[in-house]
Amino acid sequence: DELLFRYTKLGGQAIAPAGFKSNMPGFSETMSDDQIWAVLAYIKSFWPEKIRRRHTQLNQHSKKE
């Protein structure tokens, strides 16, 4: 979730590895953090159950580190 949030807030190029080109704009100037989280929750609500379960596992794993 944190990566999705940062990607949306800062834009793809801000978090991309060296040499990677991203045209994803950042939305920090037009959306509040709460609005970004709400949009991400809405998008994720359309994900298939299998993907949502895997995403939850990845989130839990990243919080342990």
Side-chain angles (χ1 to χ4, degrees):
D1 282 339
E2 188 62 33
L3 178 60
L4 291 175
F5 176 80
R6 288 180 44 233
Y7 190 83
T8 306
K9 182 173 181 157
L10 304 175
Q13 201 59 53
I15 66 168
F20 184 83
K21 174 73 172 141
S22 174
N23 291 323
M24 168 72 176
F27 291 91
S28 63
E29 299 292 322
T30 56
M31 297 174 71
S32 70
D33 288 1
D34 287 342
Q35 289 172 321
I36 293 171
W37 284 118
V39 168
L40 292 174
Y42 177 76
I43 292 168
K44 292 188 307 182
S45 74
F46 289 92
W47 290 357
E49 180 60 30
K50 181 179 179 180
I51 300 300
R52 287 194 304 249
R53 278 195 313 266
R54 179 67 178 138
H55 183 74
T56 298
Q57 290 172 340
L58 290 170
N59 275 332
Q60 291 170 345
H61 178 73
S62 68
K63 289 178 183 177
K64 292 178 184 176
E65 293 179 355

